[in-house]
Amino acid sequence: MTDDRPAAEPDRPASKSDRPYDLVLFGATGFTGGLTAEYLAGRADAGVRWALAGRSIAKLEDVRDRLAAIDPALAELPLLQADTADEASIERVAASTRVVISTVGPYVRLGEPLVAACARLGTDYVDLTGEPTFVDRMYVKYHEQAVRSGARIVHACGFDSIPSDLGTYFTVQQLPAGVPLRVEAFLRVHAQFSGGTLHSAVGIFADLPSMLRAERDRRRAEPASTSGRKVSLERGPIPHTRAGWTVPLPVIDSQIVARSATALDRYGPDFTFGHFLALKRLPAAVALGIGTGVAIAAAQLPPTRALLLKLATPGEGPSAARRAKHWFSLTFAGEGGGKRVVTEVSGGDPGYDETAKMLAESALCLAQDDLPETAGQVTTAQAMGNALIDRLVKAGLGFRVLKTS
Ligand SMILES: NC(=O)c1ccc[n+]([C@@H]2O[C@H](COP(=O)([O-])OP(=O)(O)OC[C@H]3O[C@@H](n4cnc5c(N)ncnc54)[C@H](OP(=O)(O)O)[C@@H]3O)[C@@H](O)[C@H]2O)c1
């Protein structure tokens, strides 16, 4: 592997303890960023030094006014101006803090400058991306540099992919160690998406060849596993199970779980994972398949892509009243070494309220908790594991063992 460090770059940048902030939230003016800011306002310890960042100070002031209504002490919360098109402003954000949260997406278009700065400066980073192209490109370009600087780059700290990643980690810990394990996850969900999520998803659909190229480049760059562990993913057709009609979910979660399983010995010598959406009725499963096919086809041509993007505007998302009716439950069936276990991760509005909670708690966990030493692009299970599960349970998410046999 080539060494792309500039000659003068130190292996580990100067101590991060003298930086002015523990946490900076970049993208605080967006829909999910605003919810994350409100969560931090209500839950972060008084000792946490944090700031908001975004491209418009006037919009950040509006967010800060909302936060001051939650906690008057936040009326003076520092505001940092930063635009992804202005590299120096992004560098200033990354240099000012120990941990940065980014809700600035679509990440494949807007995310790279901040990951690059964090990898260079040793700043821990969390985001909400579910875009495999982005995650794979960031691995190829910045993983080695982040390992050298000590930065923990943790993508997918929202509904993509914390319930899957930490739910699998939780399930594996209920099974015997040192034996082959199989875990299948079945998602049931009632929710609606935001404009930012729609625009990110259409971006993925519109450029599937780039996703495949990025995946191939990553495979070439990744060192061969030294553990000898075999990790496999199930991708079956629609079978009928106790969970209902189950459709394989082609989202980033399986890749994230596979990376945790490759990195951590607790997943055993041979680990298999399957990730499915469970629907009560066959017509709903078929309609979902057809709908996804139509959306992918529409994303290929500019006029139909423009129509798709009009379905929701960036900055907007479901109202609080709607979100209050949303819920999710991810049921895991695990087996190995003669033991079976059924577990569940569950919560309220998955895409936004629970996502804001998961993202904020991930950042607080990196900033405050005693964690295993990791660096580079790492998953939530690798970087935070049970410390983050404990935080999420305290914050109201369910991690439960339903049945063992
Ligand atoms: N995986 C998950 O579970 C999950 C859940 C929720 C969201 N997400 C992802 O999170 C991202 C945000 O979603 P959202 O609904 O919150 O989107 P959003 O409301 O459109 O917010 C986007 C944010 O990015 C900022 N921004 C845009 N261009 C910028 C630039 N050049 N420089 C600096 N900031 C810039 C916007 O600032 P302005 O206010 O100035 O426009 C805004 O703060 C999306 O990629 C979405 O897919 C993922």
Side-chain angles (χ1 to χ4, degrees):
M1 188 158 299
T2 55
D3 187 344
D4 56 359
R5 273 179 298 176
E9 184 190 313
D11 271 354
R12 296 244 163 193
S15 159
K16 289 192 284 178
S17 53
D18 50 2
R19 296 185 182 184
Y21 308 117
D22 297 312
L23 217 67
V24 171
L25 169 58
F26 182 44
T29 57
F31 184 70
T32 322
L35 293 174
T36 307
E38 287 166 16
Y39 183 85
L40 285 168
R43 300 285 293 221
D45 302 342
V48 176
R49 302 163 306 157
W50 62 295
L52 304 178
R55 58 182 169 172
S56 156
I57 289 291
K59 282 174 104 176
L60 288 172
E61 283 169 349
D62 289 345
V63 177
R64 185 171 61 182
D65 288 347
R66 281 197 340 251
L67 303 186
I70 297 170
D71 176 357
L74 297 175
E76 298 302 318
L77 196 67
L79 307 179
L80 312 177
Q81 199 280 331
D83 191 308
T84 61
D86 172 4
E87 214 176 291
S89 70
I90 297 296
E91 183 101 5
R92 280 196 296 277
V93 166
S96 71
T97 181
R98 295 168 53 224
V99 182
V100 67
I101 303 176
S102 175
T103 56
V104 174
Y107 291 89
V108 84
R109 187 159 58 80
L110 300 169
E112 179 169 351
L114 186 57
V115 174
C118 289
R120 199 161 50 244
L121 296 166
T123 307
D124 293 328
Y125 165 99
V126 293
D127 73 20
L128 282 182
T129 188
E131 298 158 68
T133 313
F134 175 67
V135 174
D136 289 343
R137 282 187 190 153
M138 296 306 97
Y139 178 87
V140 172
K141 293 182 83 166
Y142 304 109
H143 171 73
E144 285 297 329
Q145 192 174 30
V147 168
R148 289 194 296 267
S149 71
R152 293 170 288 188
I153 307 292
V154 197
H155 299 291
C157 292
F159 185 59
D160 292 323
S161 302
I162 283 188
S164 297
D165 192 30
L166 292 186
T168 303
Y169 184 67
F170 177 75
T171 307
V172 160
Q173 290 177 88
Q174 318 304 322
L175 294 166
V179 298
L181 301 179
R182 170 185 297 270
V183 175
E184 290 178 326
F186 301 97
L187 174 66
R188 289 186 307 119
V189 63
H190 172 65
Q192 196 194 350
F193 51 74
S194 71
T197 300
L198 174 79
H199 281 242
S200 297
V202 171
I204 298 174
F205 292 162
D207 198 3
L208 294 174
S210 285
M211 186 174 84
L212 298 176
R213 254 195 319 276
E215 193 182 338
R216 186 200 57 205
D217 292 347
R218 182 193 183 112
R219 270 202 308 274
R220 284 189 186 145
E222 252 170 347
S225 163
T226 48
S227 70
R229 183 164 25 262
K230 185 171 164 241
V231 175
S232 322
L233 295 177
E234 288 178 4
R235 300 182 205 274
I238 302 176
H240 189 258
T241 69
R242 272 179 306 154
W245 293 95
T246 58
V247 192
L249 264 178
V251 291
I252 197 170
D253 297 43
S254 295
Q255 295 164 31
I256 300 278
V257 170
R259 280 171 206 146
S260 297
T262 304
L264 298 171
D265 287 341
R266 188 59 182 83
Y267 289 69
D270 187 339
F271 181 76
T272 305
F273 179 70
H275 188 220
F276 304 93
L277 181 65
L279 295 155
K280 277 197 189 130
R281 292 181 197 89
L282 181 60
V286 173
L288 183 76
I290 293 171
T292 308
V294 168
I296 291 173
Q300 306 311 308
L301 298 172
T304 41
R305 190 185 313 145
L307 285 179
L308 262 188
L309 292 173
K310 279 196 184 138
L311 290 175
T313 311
E316 292 174 2
S319 67
R322 262 185 182 274
R323 296 198 309 274
K325 294 185 183 144
H326 293 167
W327 54 268
F328 78 93
S329 123
L330 192 57
T331 307
F332 296 83
E335 60 179 24
K339 189 171 174 190
R340 285 171 189 264
V341 64
V342 179
T343 66
E344 182 190 63
V345 178
S346 61
D349 173 60
Y352 305 98
D353 289 338
E354 299 296 25
T355 280
K357 181 187 288 179
M358 292 184 243
L359 182 65
E361 290 293 351
S362 299
L364 290 167
C365 188
L366 289 180
Q368 296 187 304
D369 295 356
D370 192 13
L371 299 172
E373 184 135 339
T374 58
Q377 191 186 95
V378 281
T379 64
T380 53
Q382 260 177 292
M384 294 171 267
N386 288 329
L388 184 52
I389 293 178
D390 290 348
R391 278 182 170 273
L392 295 175
V393 169
K394 279 192 195 123
L397 274 176
F399 280 77
R400 296 184 194 86
V401 176
L402 300 181
K403 206 162 115 186
T404 51
S405 54

